[in-house]
Amino acid sequence: MSRAVPRSRKVLALVAGAAALAGPLALAAPATGAEGSATPYTAAPNTPAPDPAAPDPAPNPAPYTVTPLRFTVEAGGRSCAVDADLYRPAGVDAAHPAPAVLATNGFGGGKSDDSTAAIGRAFAERGYVGLVYSGLGFGKSGCLISLDAPETDGRAAARLVDFLAGTRSADDGTRADFVTRDGEGDPRVGMIGGSYGGAVQLAAASVDPRVDALVPLITWNDLAYSLAPNAADRATPGVFKWQWANGFYLIGEGQPLLSPSLDPSRINSLGCLHFVTDACDTIRLLNSGRYPAAATERMLAYARSVSPVSYLDRVTAPTLVVQGQSDSLFTLNEARATYDRLRERGVDTRMIWQSWGHSGGQKAGELDLGDPGASYVGQRVLAWFDRYLRKNPAADTGPAFAWYREGRSGYGTADRVPALSQRLFLSGDGKLVDDRAKVARGSRSYVNWLVPTSHSESSLAGTIGLPDPRPYDTPGTYLGWTSAPLTGPVDLVGAPSATLRVVSPATERVQDSGDAADRLVLFAKLYDVAPDGTRTLVNRLVAPVRVPDVTRPFTVELPGIVHRYETGHRLEFVVAASDTAYSGNRGVKPVTVVSAPESTGTLSLPLVEGRVG
C-alpha cells in the first residue's frame, strides 16, 4: 500500500475486501496437537499429534433433523425477528432429553455460514440439541446492529434460552420439551462461537444466569481498546485502528448488498443506515481525527458499555477463553483481561492461545469446528461441554493456560500465565543490554512525516487472503535497540512491557489543548532479527500509544505474543513515529530519547525458556 495514498481512497479500497469478511471469520482451521503436562511456566514436553486412525469422539455421527424457526423477541426496547435453525438429534425427546448448544455468527454473517452451521451439525452429531441463529441485524434477523450490547443482543439470546427451556414457542408454535433441565424454566445450555459470536455469549450470560458454559473464541474485552488502543493509558483516547474499524463499518452499512430484502427494523432513520446511532457516532468521531474531551468521553463510555469489560462482574458461567496469536483486531491482551477478571471472581475459567485469529495464521492441526475431535483445542471444547453440560465429573477440562508452539509438537501448558521475568535496558548507542551498568550515555532522535513511514500490516489482508508487503520502517522516523546475538533459544509467552521517557517540545506546547489528537502518538513493537539481518515483526503486531504527558515517564504494554527467538538471532525493540494501519500524529512532532545508566528506558519480557544477553 503506497504511503502517499490519501486515507479517503484507502477506505474506499476496503469496500471490495470488506465484503469477504461477511463470510465465516476464520472459525474453521486445520487440526492437531496434544496436551502436555501442566507445569507452571514450563513448556509441555513434546507430545505426538492425534493418530488419524484413532476413533473420533463421535465415530458414527448420529442422524439429526434441521428445522428452520423464526422468533419475535423484545430486545433493547424493540421487537426483533430472529432467524434460527434447530438441530435435533434422533432419539432426543421429552423422555430422553439432551443438553443444548446455542451459537450465532461472526460479524456480517448469518446462521447459514459454513462455520456457524458447522457448530449445529457437529454438536448434533454428538447428541446435543443445537440452536444456531443469525445475530440481530444480520442474515434474515431483524433490528439494528448494536455491537453485542447486553440489553439488546444479550436479551435476544436469553429469549432463545426461554425456547430451549420450553417456556416459550417459536412463532409457528414449535416448542422444545426435549432439552435437559436443571430446574423449572432452566435448560442446560452452553454457547460457542467466534468474534461477534463470541462477545454475545458473555453479553447473554451477564443478563441470564441460566447459561451454563461459554466458549468465546477470538473476541474482544473492551471495544474502546480494540478500535482505538492506547497501550500506555486506557483512560486516554487511543490511536484509531482505521483499517479494521472502517472495514467492519462498511460491512454493516453495506447490508443491502449482502441481504437485498431487509427487514424494515434494520433501517436507522437517524443518520445511520444499519447500526444503532451511538455506533455510527463513534466511527464518525474516530474518523474525524479530532478528539475533544466531552465527545471522546461519550465515545469511550459507549464503546465500553457494549463490551465485556463493563459487565463481566455479572458473568458466572464457566468460560473457556480461546484467542488467536495472529490477531491484530482483538489481541491476546483482550483475552487475558477477560480471563483475569473472571478468575479473580472465582469463575472457573481456562484460556488457550491458538495460532489463528482475525489476521490469519492457520496452522495444520488447529481447531476445525466442523470436526472438533481432531484437534487439541477442539478436544478441550468437547471436554468443557462434557463437564458442564453433561455433568461428567471425570471430564478433564485441562490446564489453566495453554499456548500453541510454532514448529514444535503439542501445546505448552501452565497453571498460570507467565510473569515478566527479565528486564533489559535501552542504551544510548542503540543496544539492548541486560545490565544497567552497560548503558551508554547518549541521545537519539526521530521525526515523523505527515504520511505514514512504517508498515505493520494491511489489516484485512490476512482475513481475506490477500498479499501484504513485509513490515518496514523508514530511516529517521524510528528508533531501535538491538540485543547481542542469542547464545541459546529464547521463548516469549505473554505481553512484554516497556517503560519510556521521551522529549518532545513541539508536543509539550499543544498537548493540553483539550483535544487529545494534539498529544504525541508513537508505536512500540518487537522484531526478530536473523543472522543475515532479515527483520521479522512478530505476528505483525504493534502497540499504539497516545502519550498521556510527554513530560513524564510512561509504561507501554505490548501485545501478547508467543515466539521463539532462535540461537544467533537478535531481539530488536522499536519505537516508530507512525503505522499505515493506524491514524497518526497531527503535525510534526520530533522525539528524542535520552539514555544514561542512572536513567533509561527498559523492556521487560515474559520468558519461559532462555535469557537475553
Side-chain angles (χ1 to χ4, degrees):
M1 182 179 293
S2 169
R3 297 194 300 273
V5 177
R7 182 175 303 143
S8 60
R9 285 175 57 194
K10 292 179 182 177
V11 173
L12 291 174
L14 291 176
V15 176
L21 284 170
L25 287 176
L27 289 185
T32 187
E35 180 186 336
S37 64
T39 305
Y41 303 116
T42 303
N46 289 346
T47 50
D51 180 357
D56 184 270
N60 297 303
Y64 56 87
T65 59
V66 182
T67 305
L69 296 174
R70 176 186 170 93
F71 300 86
T72 301
V73 304
E74 297 298 319
R78 306 188 72 177
S79 179
C80 305
V82 175
D83 184 37
D85 283 338
L86 176 66
Y87 291 76
R88 180 176 176 178
V92 171
D93 54 28
H96 306 90
V101 173
L102 180 65
T104 189
N105 52 275
F107 195 91
K111 69 174 188 179
S112 299
D113 292 344
D114 288 344
S115 55
T116 309
I119 294 172
R121 293 192 298 268
F123 285 94
E125 289 172 353
R126 287 164 172 79
Y128 290 94
V129 175
L131 186 60
V132 174
Y133 68 101
S134 296
L136 299 183
F138 297 108
K140 294 183 179 179
S141 290
C143 282
L144 300 174
I145 301 168
S146 56
L147 302 182
D148 280 343
E151 291 301 324
T152 304
D153 300 89
R155 293 289 178 190
R159 301 292 72 82
L160 300 185
V161 175
D162 291 340
F163 168 76
L164 294 171
T167 58
R168 69 164 295 161
S169 62
D171 290 358
D172 66 358
T174 300
R175 285 189 173 270
D177 61 354
F178 42 78
V179 175
T180 304
R181 297 181 191 175
D182 292 318
E184 187 65 29
D186 183 4
R188 186 91 51 79
V189 56
M191 296 185 72
I192 185 171
S195 193
Y196 201 74
V200 73
Q201 299 173 46
L202 295 161
S206 76
V207 299
D208 193 338
R210 295 174 298 174
V211 179
D212 296 286
L214 308 176
V215 185
L217 301 102
I218 61 171
T219 197
W220 69 88
N221 171 267
D222 180 358
L223 270 184
Y225 173 82
S226 307
L227 302 181
N230 189 347
D233 177 16
R234 294 202 181 193
T236 300
V239 185
F240 182 34
K241 197 182 289 183
W242 72 269
Q243 290 187 7
W244 274 123
N246 281 302
F248 282 97
Y249 177 68
L250 290 171
I251 292 170
E253 293 294 72
Q255 286 296 295
L257 301 176
L258 303 171
S259 301
S261 300
L262 282 178
D263 182 325
S265 69
R266 291 173 61 172
I267 307 297
N268 186 346
S269 59
L270 300 177
C272 232
L273 286 177
H274 306 299
F275 287 89
V276 295
T277 303
D278 282 339
C280 284
D281 289 346
T282 295
I283 197 72
R284 287 171 185 153
L285 176 66
L286 291 170
N287 271 314
S288 75
R290 306 187 67 88
Y291 309 119
T296 303
E297 284 302 314
R298 287 195 299 273
M299 179 271 290
L300 291 173
Y302 168 69
R304 287 173 179 145
S305 74
V306 296
S307 300
V309 67
S310 71
Y311 55 73
L312 276 176
D313 285 353
R314 303 198 301 269
V315 175
T316 59
T319 303
L320 177 61
V321 178
V322 181
Q323 205 79 348
Q325 296 169 24
S326 182
D327 200 324
S328 61
L329 177 60
F330 305 135
T331 68
L332 298 176
N333 299 26
E334 302 242 29
R336 175 73 189 272
T338 296
Y339 169 84
D340 284 347
R341 184 63 192 132
L342 289 174
R343 286 179 71 87
E344 285 168 5
R345 296 181 43 249
V347 177
D348 188 5
T349 310
R350 314 294 167 96
M351 182 167 65
I352 304 173
W353 289 355
Q354 62 183 15
S355 175
W356 60 265
H358 288 85
S359 303
Q362 291 91 341
K363 306 295 182 183
E366 287 216 284
L367 175 64
D368 176 353
L369 283 173
D371 187 15
S375 68
Y376 170 78
V377 176
Q379 291 165 8
R380 291 283 304 273
V381 170
L382 293 175
W384 196 253
F385 283 163
D386 196 26
R387 174 67 180 86
Y388 289 108
L389 300 185
R390 288 194 167 130
K391 300 298 184 182
N392 176 5
D396 182 3
T397 54
F401 176 52
W403 64 93
Y404 176 82
R405 302 187 299 177
E406 175 75 36
R408 304 173 71 188
S409 178
Y411 272 65
T413 66
D415 63 1
R416 59 192 183 277
V417 180
L420 298 172
S421 55
Q422 184 181 9
R423 185 168 61 165
L424 303 174
F425 301 89
L426 311 186
S427 181
D429 56 5
K431 294 179 180 178
L432 193 59
V433 297
D434 62 351
D435 187 335
R436 186 182 291 275
K438 297 178 182 178
V439 173
R441 295 182 183 276
S443 65
R444 305 166 69 219
S445 301
Y446 70 78
V447 62
N448 67 290
W449 298 359
L450 294 181
V451 294
T453 54
S454 289
H455 175 74
S456 60
E457 66 165 5
S458 300
S459 298
L460 300 180
T463 299
I464 60 181
L466 292 178
D468 194 1
R470 286 185 59 84
Y472 61 79
D473 298 290
T474 302
T477 66
Y478 77 99
L479 296 176
W481 291 265
T482 308
S483 74
L486 300 175
T487 58
V490 171
D491 283 338
L492 271 65
V493 179
S497 176
T499 58
L500 297 170
R501 179 150 190 182
V502 300
V503 179
S504 180
T507 305
E508 283 188 53
R509 291 192 290 268
V510 298
Q511 69 177 7
D512 296 324
S513 67
D515 186 340
D518 287 323
R519 295 177 182 171
L520 178 68
V521 169
L522 55 82
F523 299 84
K525 49 194 172 182
L526 285 179
Y527 281 93
D528 182 332
V529 183
D532 65 0
T534 301
R535 300 164 78 230
T536 300
L537 179 59
V538 179
N539 282 333
R540 293 181 177 258
L541 295 174
V542 302
V545 174
R546 193 179 298 278
V547 180
D549 183 349
V550 296
T551 67
R552 299 175 180 273
F554 55 95
T555 299
V556 179
E557 181 186 55
L558 277 73
I561 61 173
V562 176
H563 185 70
R564 164 162 282 203
Y565 286 83
E566 298 290 354
T567 301
H569 287 229
R570 292 175 293 156
L571 186 149
E572 182 184 21
F573 174 65
V574 165
V575 174
S578 62
D579 190 276
T580 54
Y582 295 80
S583 297
N585 284 290
R586 186 159 71 183
V588 177
K589 298 181 171 72
V591 170
T592 298
V593 177
V594 179
S595 297
E598 66 275 10
S599 176
T600 191
T602 63
L603 173 67
S604 297
L605 303 174
L607 303 180
V608 296
E609 182 177 333
R611 287 182 66 80
V612 178

